[in-house]
Amino acid sequence: MGGTWFLGKQIVQQGLARGWDVSTFNRGRSGRDVQGAEVFHGDRTLREDLERLAASGPWDAVVDTSSSDMSPRVVLQAVHALHGSVDRWVHVSTVSVYDQWPHQPLTEASPVLVCPPDADETYGFTSPCGSPTIYGFQKAGAERAVTDAFGDQAVLLRPGVILGPEEYVGRLPWWLTRTAAGGRFLAPAPEQRTIQPVDVRDVAAFALDQAAAATSGPFNVTHPEGITFGGFLEACLTVTQGAGRPVWADPDVLTEQDVKQWTELPLWRTHAGVWAVDPGRAVDAGLRCRPLTETIADTWSWLQADGRPVDHPRWAEHGIDPDKEAKILAALS
């Protein structure tokens, strides 16, 4: 479900590389269909399109990468339509389904937000502190829709931040572009704080492994080793050959200067649990994560080769305004 950009595209390409027969279902509006895949175009919000798809089966498994902005009710409709044509369902969810994210460390046993599987897009609320979110409630309801139908043939992947070539959100591309520009740049202290983003190619490989496995249930898909923020920025400077110098600012200083966490300085968030999501169950099931320095280098190579992601509104959300950054840097001098 999806299959033309970023994670979905990687899943299709890697599935074909394994010698699998791969079909994709999407609207045909974002990205290009991968050569070698059987392509079905349709709108997953339309029952008649789903019924037409179901009649073209059966399939061993669905890997659903296209429901990130859709209500549980839309996911439920797809699950019901395809249930008789599919043996197994791998659903790409998010760590945002956890009731305690990003405030506390998490395992798969941590409580999940409560949302009915037939909820519409209005269900839930966003807390004034930014968590929980309507998005988290919606994704929790989508998980319910899948598990209620597929039981022990349902797999729930809960990644945190996914980076890598063809990233459409713009977190890593912004840092690469900023470090390449040179000069002093704002960096969120502490330098030693470990972050856990995961490479899109590794998420795709694990999703395919789970499509063929006998395991079920939720898996936190985060990097088991991670990288320090200092190491992350050093790697960005190394691959871009940037002459920049990070100016490390304490969180309270950034807050006083009204720097927005997560967006103006991508990947920066002060909550204790944001980068404390245990991937142990996924690692035991075969998740393998390449060093994040490789992810950083390969993303820069993609950008240098005129890499252009699919247009997405979230790209514009990331990165601090240069004038605002300059004023803060001047104040820190």
Side-chain angles (χ1 to χ4, degrees), residues 1-5 24-34 39-44 49 52 66 70 310:
M1 306 284 279
T4 60
W5 46 295
T24 60
F25 177 71
N26 56 69
R27 295 178 299 175
R29 299 178 186 175
S30 301
R32 296 179 179 178
D33 294 308
V34 176
V39 177
F40 297 93
H41 283 159
D43 188 334
R44 66 178 294 165
D49 285 3
R52 176 170 51 85
S66 69
M70 297 180 179
V310 172

Side-chain angles (χ1 to χ4, degrees), residues 7-288:
L7 177 58
K9 181 179 178 181
Q10 274 292 329
I11 289 171
V12 175
Q13 291 175 327
Q14 291 189 33
L16 291 170
R18 294 184 185 200
W20 294 8
D21 296 323
V22 181
S23 303
T24 60
F25 177 71
N26 56 69
R27 295 178 299 175
R29 299 178 186 175
S30 301
R32 296 179 179 178
D33 294 308
V34 176
Q35 186 174 1
E38 182 180 24
V39 177
F40 297 93
H41 283 159
D43 188 334
R44 66 178 294 165
T45 67
L46 301 178
R47 183 179 300 275
E48 57 268 29
D49 285 3
L50 289 168
E51 290 174 349
R52 176 170 51 85
L53 176 66
S56 302
W59 295 275
D60 299 304
V62 161
V63 182
D64 187 359
T65 67
S66 69
S67 65
S68 61
D69 297 320
M70 297 180 179
S71 70
R73 184 174 297 175
V74 171
V75 175
L76 183 66
Q77 179 174 264
V79 166
H80 283 171
L82 295 173
H83 188 262
S85 303
V86 174
D87 295 333
R88 187 168 174 81
W89 195 288
V90 179
H91 188 75
V92 180
S93 186
T94 170
V95 294
S96 295
V97 299
Y98 288 112
D99 180 59
Q100 298 166 340
W101 189 85
H103 305 289
Q104 297 182 24
L106 298 169
T107 70
E108 289 86 356
S110 300
V112 171
L113 296 168
V114 176
C115 177
D118 60 349
D120 66 17
E121 65 278 2
T122 66
Y123 191 92
F125 64 92
T126 296
S127 168
C129 70
S131 181
T133 61
I134 291 178
Y135 174 72
F137 280 103
Q138 295 279 306
K139 295 293 279 186
E143 288 191 359
R144 277 277 309 277
V146 174
T147 55
D148 285 356
F150 281 88
D152 61 5
Q153 291 301 313
V155 177
L156 309 173
L157 305 185
R158 294 172 178 165
V161 172
I162 304 177
L163 303 178
E166 300 193 43
E167 182 200 335
Y168 64 91
V169 176
R171 295 183 176 105
L172 178 51
W174 185 84
W175 277 115
L176 286 165
T177 302
R178 181 65 190 89
T179 53
R184 299 164 72 238
F185 61 89
L186 200 58
E191 185 176 351
Q192 295 77 26
R193 185 172 191 180
T194 298
I195 59 177
Q196 293 180 285
V198 64
D199 192 290
V200 62
R201 295 164 291 186
D202 299 329
V203 180
F206 186 66
L208 290 169
D209 290 345
Q210 288 306 303
T215 48
S216 63
F219 292 94
N220 294 331
V221 187
T222 56
H223 203 292
E225 298 173 0
I227 191 171
T228 65
F229 221 111
F232 172 81
L233 293 183
E234 180 181 354
C236 290
L237 287 164
T238 298
V239 301
T240 63
Q241 298 183 346
R245 180 171 66 85
V247 177
W248 295 95
D250 290 335
D252 55 347
V253 172
L254 296 174
T255 300
E256 289 171 2
Q257 296 293 332
D258 195 31
V259 176
K260 295 181 178 64
Q261 296 188 37
W262 212 234
T263 53
E264 287 193 304
L265 291 181
L267 305 179
W268 169 59
R269 202 166 183 176
T270 58
H271 302 79
V274 67
W275 299 117
V277 181
D278 181 7
R281 184 169 189 260
V283 170
D284 289 344
L287 174 66
R288 297 295 178 265

Side-chain angles (χ1 to χ4, degrees), residues 280-298:
R281 184 169 189 260
V283 170
D284 289 344
L287 174 66
R288 297 295 178 265
C289 292
R290 70 197 67 206
L292 283 161
T293 51
E294 182 179 330
T295 304
I296 293 165
D298 290 349

